[in-house]
Each structure stands twice: as structure tokens, then as C-alpha cells.
Amino acid sequence: MPKIGELTLTSVDEFDFRLLIKALGKGEKGSRALTFDEACLLLEGFAKGKATRAQMASAMMLMRVRGETTEEIAGMVAGLRRTVDKGWHSLEVDIDWPVYAGKREQLPWLLLVAKLLAKQGIRVMLHGDSQALPHRRHVESCLASLNIACCTSSQMAKVALQSDNIVYVRAGDLAPVLDDCRQLHQELGLRSLIQTAARCINPTNAPISLRSYFHPGLDTLHQGICEILFSNNEYQVGSVAIFKGLQGETELNPRVETTIKVVNGKAGNVDVSSLTMPTLLEGFSGAKVGQAELPSDILALLWREKEPLSSEALTALMSRTMIEQALSSVTTTLAAVLLLLNHKLNTAIIPQESISPESISQKSNSQKIMAAEQAVYLSQLCWENRFSTTNNPLTKWQNKEWLCAV
């Protein structure tokens, strides 16, 4: 049975979406994967009500059984991005931080990192879907403990970013079609490529975007998705950091060495580099049991207490090993973000019309490559001085004072 060739795509309103289902499901020898543009059109069609629930569910499951291709997922990401209201695109955000996995037991220590960065003027947007995996502990359930706003519109988010430099947004408020897809997942009892695509939408086109995974091989998948999106100009100039997250969430595990793939897109080119974060808790044991019942108020206690290990309020709720593990998660995650910010500073593009010997010389003189050990040390200093109004290590680093002194 011959495969259906590449289809002539029309507008969403005119296209017959049965053709895409037929291409996916035309028997063992006659079926084929969707192209980037076909996958994009399918998602847009479902979002606009032109592709039916039955058609979308069939497409998702046919791709799931066969195994989704990188092009199909990238196409779905492009389709999702086109359903996002333009108000989100207009927001100025430094770090796009998707938090979709949740954790099995632990609290999201990453929120302490995000809050610390925001306190230093770095704008962070967190987004996730706590209903997709309701049995896990999600960021959304802990926002109130650190006074982080959960916003439902781009106008609300703009106000929160202007006042606090940090905001959380539910996936369905960014792209309502994601709520419809989640309902299909729950009705069918299966995952689909949409759950991978949702993490990749970077709704504000932030120059730094984080991606976490858990299962082996997904780092290569995410790298391929990024390369396609940069090549198709869906992603603008920026960097995407891909790493194995703690229990799958977008937070580093201090117990192990973590390799971070960085996909950089700029001036029509895509290149891939890597960073390595060392183990901070070599030979560490314990702290795995008893964390499922920890209240989210512990995040506020950790933030407020200057000496967490000697705090009676904290030690009444957490063992010493639990506190050490939490603080190490904060340190290594913050250090990784600092390395990414350093990378961004060192790869900043000088506009063509501004290039001169003086500008090149100035950029060369300002470039200071930070080592992972330096990033860990700076991370610890930032945490220790998070309440100081006079000693701000992050500001000194941004002004190049800190690295010059090291």
C-alpha cells in the first residue's frame, strides 16, 4: 500500500483534517509520520475547533504507538506558540522556567532559586500544569508560601513582573488548547507528544529557557526539537539548557554530576555546547524518607532563616540531612543558572551597524568565562547575602568586579 505523500496544506479553516489521520493510520506499510508543517496545522486546527476531539485523540495515539518523531513534536510546539495570545509575547522575561513534572516527595526547592534571582532583578516566568500529574508535588501548590503571584492573563503577569520580577502561569492560561489536550490524556489514560511540546513553548521568547527530562535519550530529543525550532525561526536568538532534572523537575540533583546541553541559536546559526555541574553531595545518604508530608511553609522558613541548620523552627520539621539536601539543591540549581547567564553575557551579539574595533575590544575585555566551581561559590555567596542591601555578589558579578577578583 503506497504511503500518502506530503499534503498540500491550506488554511486552518479550509483544510480537511481527515487527510492527516489517514496519513498517520493507513496501515502498517502505508502510514507515515507528519511533517513539521502538518503537525503545526493539526494543533492549530484543534485549537480553533476545526479538527475534532476524535481526530486529535486519534492522531495523538497513532503517533504514540508508532513513536513520535522530533519533527512532529517540534511542529506541535510551533502550533502551540501560534495559539498563545500576543500579550504574552510582549512581556520582558529573562528566564523561561517550565515546571511540568512535579516531584514524587520533595518540595520544589527551585522556587527559592527563582525568588532569589527575581530579588536581584532577573525576570523569571514559571509555567506548568499541576492537574496533568496530580499525584505529584507541583510548584503551583507552593507559590503562596513565597508570595509568588499566579497570573491568569498577560496584563496581570506584566504587573507582577514589574513589581516582583517573578510570576507563575498555568499552561491553560497561556494556550487554552492545552487544557483540552489534558482532558483527552485523562480520558484515554495515555501520555502524548503534547506533554513534551508544552514544556517548549517559551511564550515570552525569553533569551534563556530551561528544559528538564528524566528518562534516558530525552536530552537528544529535546536538542533536536530546539534545533528544528531555531532553524525554522520559531525560536528567536537565545539559549535552551537541557538537563536531567531531580525527579524529572526543572531543578538539578546535587547528589550527582549533571551535564547540561546548551542549544544556542543566533544570527541564523545553531550550535550546541555543554556545561557540567559537579556533585555537591558526594557519598551523601538519607533525606529520601519522610519528605512527602513536609508542608510548603518550609520554603518560607528556609528563605527567612539565616542559619537554617540551627533553626529550631526548621529542625522541628526536617532532619539535618533533609536541610542539607534542600540547600544543596538550591546551590547547584542557582549555580547552573549563573553559568547560563554568564554564557549569555559572553555570547551577546554586537549589532552589525555598531561593529567597530572599539566595540570588539570592549566585548573581548568584558568576557570572563566562569568555571563551575566559581559558579557554585558565587551561588553560595548569593544565598548567604540574599537579605543584604550593601553586599550583593550577583550585582558585583554582573559588573565584572567579582570575576576579576577571583
Side-chain angles (χ1 to χ4, degrees), residues 178-350:
L178 287 172
D179 284 340
D180 298 325
C181 290
R182 176 176 20 84
Q183 290 169 8
L184 289 179
H185 294 148
Q186 292 172 342
E187 185 176 341
L188 296 168
L190 292 171
R191 292 174 56 85
S192 84
L193 75 173
I194 299 297
Q195 286 156 314
T196 300
R199 302 167 185 240
C200 306
I201 57 177
N202 190 359
T204 64
N205 294 315
I208 295 175
S209 187
L210 308 182
R211 300 280 187 280
S212 64
Y213 66 93
F214 184 76
H215 297 290
L218 291 183
D219 55 336
T220 302
L221 176 67
H222 274 290
Q223 178 183 328
I225 293 168
C226 293
E227 289 173 343
I228 291 171
L229 291 169
F230 274 123
S231 297
N232 283 273
N233 295 317
E234 286 293 337
Y235 281 171
Q236 309 304 314
V237 173
S239 300
V240 181
I242 305 164
F243 57 91
K244 183 174 181 178
L246 180 55
Q247 298 185 4
E249 190 53 287
T250 323
E251 174 184 311
L252 270 69
N253 185 350
R255 295 171 181 257
V256 298
E257 181 180 271
T258 301
T259 298
I260 305 172
K261 284 187 179 180
V262 185
V263 183
N264 308 293
K266 58 180 180 180
N269 297 316
V270 180
D271 66 80
V272 181
S273 57
S274 65
L275 308 168
T276 300
M277 290 302 305
T279 304
L280 295 190
L281 295 175
E282 194 75 49
F284 185 83
S285 62
K288 283 189 174 182
V289 179
Q291 295 206 41
E293 304 304 321
L294 291 179
S296 60
D297 291 344
I298 281 178
L299 290 167
L301 279 173
L302 275 171
W303 177 259
R304 291 197 306 265
E305 295 291 341
K306 292 186 178 180
E307 300 291 339
L309 290 170
S310 58
S311 164
E312 292 184 6
L314 268 175
T315 54
L317 297 169
M318 301 174 73
S319 68
R320 183 180 183 87
T321 52
M322 287 181 186
I323 297 173
E324 288 175 349
Q325 191 272 328
L327 293 176
S328 295
S329 289
V330 170
T331 298
T332 192
T333 302
L334 177 56
V337 174
L338 293 176
L339 284 176
L340 294 170
L341 289 168
N342 181 248
H343 177 82
K344 176 190 170 187
L345 289 174
N346 289 331
T347 56
I349 298 172
I350 302 174

Side-chain angles (χ1 to χ4, degrees), residues 55-194:
Q55 288 170 335
M56 188 64 185
S58 298
M60 290 194 304
M61 292 307 103
L62 285 167
M63 287 185 276
R64 179 69 174 170
V65 171
R66 185 227 325 129
E68 302 95 339
T69 68
T70 307
E71 281 230 349
E72 286 173 331
I73 302 174
M76 289 288 177
V77 176
L80 284 171
R81 284 171 56 83
R82 293 173 194 182
T83 70
V84 172
D85 185 84
K86 291 181 179 179
W88 297 108
H89 297 318
S90 67
L91 297 180
E92 293 184 8
V93 172
D94 298 306
I95 300 175
D96 168 60
W97 203 320
V99 285
Y100 288 80
K103 288 184 175 179
R104 291 189 301 275
E105 299 101 7
Q106 298 180 12
L107 289 166
W109 311 122
L110 67 91
L111 276 181
L112 295 167
V113 179
K115 186 175 178 68
L116 177 57
L117 290 167
K119 193 172 184 291
Q120 304 302 323
I122 296 171
R123 293 188 165 195
V124 178
M125 175 180 276
L126 303 138
H127 53 96
D129 184 356
S130 61
Q131 297 181 57
L133 297 168
H135 60 287
R136 294 172 75 95
R137 302 196 74 168
H138 286 273
V139 162
E140 185 178 344
S141 65
C142 302
L143 297 172
S145 63
L146 291 173
N147 297 315
I148 296 173
C150 177
C151 296
T152 57
S153 69
S154 58
Q155 292 83 0
M156 290 175 61
K158 183 177 181 179
V159 172
L161 287 168
Q162 287 174 340
S163 61
D164 303 326
N165 293 321
I166 187 170
V167 67
Y168 173 88
V169 185
R170 298 185 186 98
D173 291 322
L174 292 170
V177 70
L178 287 172
D179 284 340
D180 298 325
C181 290
R182 176 176 20 84
Q183 290 169 8
L184 289 179
H185 294 148
Q186 292 172 342
E187 185 176 341
L188 296 168
L190 292 171
R191 292 174 56 85
S192 84
L193 75 173
I194 299 297

